[in-house]
Amino acid sequence: MSKTIEEILAPKPEARPRIYAYSIADAAHKGLLKVGQTTRDVKQRVAEQVGEPKGETRDTA
């Protein structure tokens, strides 16, 4: 007896991909946007990238 595709493949995790952009307020990055993609919380991910402690990101939306 053959198996169904659902029996063969593991279930996919539920993911919510997000594309985001932000700017860094310093002379070296003037006029540039940083763009990223994540399935995690965007504010937390940006904070990890710019080195700000969680909860101190500036919401510009």
Side-chain angles (χ1 to χ4, degrees):
M1 182 174 190
S2 61
K3 293 183 178 183
T4 66
I5 193 75
E6 289 81 16
E7 294 172 315
I8 295 170
L9 299 176
K12 290 183 180 180
E14 190 170 321
R16 296 180 57 185
R18 301 277 188 230
I19 297 173
Y20 60 95
Y22 64 97
S23 61
I24 299 174
D26 67 15
H29 296 94
K30 184 176 182 178
L32 301 177
L33 284 177
K34 303 280 281 179
V35 178
Q37 178 180 352
T38 186
T39 56
R40 299 173 30 216
D41 178 73
V42 171
K43 287 183 181 182
Q44 181 180 6
R45 182 65 186 121
V46 171
E48 291 171 357
Q49 292 174 311
V50 297
E52 294 180 4
K54 188 175 179 186
E56 291 187 24
T57 57
R58 294 176 294 274
D59 191 356
T60 58

